[in-house]
Amino acid sequence: MIIEIDSGSGFCFGVTTAINRAEAQLAEGGQLYCLGDIVHNETECARLRSLGLTTICHEELRHLHDTRVLLRAHGEPPQTYAIAKANRVEIIDATCPVVLALQRRIRQQYTASPDAQIVIFGKKGHAEVLGLVGQTDGRAIVIEHYDELASAPIDFSRDIYLYSQTTKSLSEYQQIISYCTKRMQPQSTFRSFDTICRQVANRMDNIREFAMRHQLVIFVAGRKSSNGKVLYAECLRVNANTHHVENASEIQSAWLNGINSVGICGATSTPKWLMEQCREVIEQEERAKFIG
């Protein structure tokens, strides 16, 4: 049996950096908190908890004093930094550089044109999007899907500045740009900014090709991962024999019957070691069949 792990799957740069920062801080000893799950993968979060990382929510942050808190790659709104400063909390800022640059751009635009409409293509309630909206004092309009545009509170007679969450679909973002461009009034300004991370956006094409190469696809990702849901759906679209698992224990031996080629892939929040464990389990199943 051929078993291939997708070389393009696994942690993106931002997540890798955040986890490296967490491990380095934990190695120094002392208490370290993380504001929200460091990555949307429960297995990886459990590993870091075993090293001493404690995950907290925003409400718990308000009650912490004189300690260290790591900010994950998704980024945070200005209010979070203000609370930390007031409580003498040391911030270990692991915000992804791509997200950080986007936050700054939105803040600068909002400061320069406070009466303009800032529209963000992103998942409502997502940590990154909350951080972006926070740069506008909560005034930005969030569009989660192209289909929402018709009913969105957007005034095309006023200036519009359009941005995207870094992990959203590039093709859908282009649809939104086209929709807005056609409806803008002559006296108004419309500008869109290419803020989608190519390391993530390019994975859609790559994972599609990978899934088509194999008889069976094991897609490994946490079920809370937004990126994982999108990539899994694409794998399933091109290969109906695709199964979503969170860890190797969920692999069923029946899936392997009559299969000669298995592809293992995952989301930007999936650690390589977890995909390697899945390969080991499949290899063990194959050895057991041969011995039997």
Side-chain angles (χ1 to χ4, degrees):
M1 177 185 285
I2 297 171
I3 306 171
E4 180 186 7
I5 295 178
D6 177 29
S7 61
S9 290
F11 291 154
C12 63
F13 171 79
V15 172
T16 298
T17 301
I19 289 175
N20 288 344
R21 291 286 297 278
E23 290 175 334
Q25 291 291 320
L26 289 167
E28 294 180 5
Q31 181 65 60
L32 178 65
Y33 296 95
C34 181
L35 189 55
D37 289 339
I38 193 169
V39 63
H40 291 148
N41 186 286
E42 175 53 31
T43 308
E44 177 67 5
C45 287
R47 183 185 74 85
L48 291 168
R49 282 197 298 271
S50 72
L51 298 178
L53 185 65
T54 301
T55 302
I56 59 170
C57 65
H58 286 79
E59 183 58 33
E60 290 171 307
L61 174 65
R62 295 179 180 276
H63 304 289
L64 289 181
H65 295 81
D66 304 299
T67 189
R68 296 178 299 164
V69 173
L70 182 138
L71 302 186
R72 55 193 177 167
H74 302 82
E76 285 291 325
Q79 183 185 22
T80 297
Y81 294 86
I83 292 170
K85 183 177 181 180
N87 290 4
R88 300 182 304 279
V89 169
E90 179 188 354
I91 289 292
I92 311 299
D93 200 340
T95 302
C96 171
V98 178
V99 174
L100 196 59
L102 175 54
Q103 287 183 347
R104 289 171 180 160
R105 290 179 69 172
I106 290 177
R107 186 66 185 177
Q108 289 170 358
Q109 186 62 66
Y110 175 69
T111 302
S113 311
D115 294 327
Q117 298 168 101
I118 291 181
V119 179
I120 298 171
F121 172 44
K123 182 178 180 181
K124 294 170 184 173
H126 189 280
E128 180 186 331
V129 175
L130 293 176
L132 300 178
V133 173
Q135 309 305 316
T136 68
D137 298 327
R139 294 176 61 185
I141 300 168
V142 179
I143 301 295
E144 188 162 344
H145 300 290
Y146 172 81
D147 295 342
E148 295 178 9
L149 282 169
S151 58
I154 300 175
D155 184 351
F156 294 101
S157 67
R158 294 171 52 209
D159 294 349
I160 296 174
Y161 296 92
L162 176 67
Y163 300 85
S164 175
Q165 178 182 348
T166 59
T167 55
K168 291 293 280 185
S169 162
L170 182 58
S171 60
E172 191 171 5
Y173 187 46
Q174 291 169 339
Q175 285 183 294
I176 293 172
I177 292 171
S178 177
Y179 181 98
C180 293
T181 301
K182 293 175 182 177
R183 286 159 179 78
M184 290 301 296
Q185 299 301 307
Q187 74 276 14
S188 304
T189 297
F190 172 71
R191 291 190 64 192
S192 60
F193 303 90
D194 188 350
T195 56
I196 292 176
C197 176
R198 288 302 187 274
Q199 186 184 7
V200 176
N202 290 340
R203 289 196 178 186
M204 183 68 79
D205 291 337
N206 294 339
I207 210 163
R208 182 188 303 117
E209 295 172 4
F210 178 83
M212 292 172 66
R213 289 206 305 268
H214 297 282
Q215 291 177 289
L216 167 68
V217 173
I218 304 297
F219 185 86
V220 191
R223 291 190 170 85
K224 292 193 295 184
S225 169
S226 298
N227 173 255
K229 291 174 184 176
V230 172
L231 292 176
Y232 167 65
E234 186 62 17
C235 285
L236 191 61
R237 188 182 71 81
V238 300
N239 187 333
N241 197 20
T242 297
H243 297 275
H244 184 179
V245 301
E246 282 200 319
N247 54 61
S249 69
E250 296 181 7
I251 295 174
Q252 298 180 25
S253 57
W255 297 346
L256 305 174
N257 292 338
I259 298 297
N260 297 314
S261 173
V262 179
I264 302 172
C265 53
T268 57
S269 54
T270 304
K272 272 287 198 294
W273 64 264
L274 197 52
M275 290 185 281
E276 290 167 355
Q277 279 189 353
C278 289
R279 178 176 59 191
E280 291 170 6
V281 165
I282 294 171
E283 288 173 342
Q284 289 170 5
E285 288 282 349
E286 288 303 294
R287 283 197 294 270
K289 288 180 183 178
F290 179 76
I291 294 171

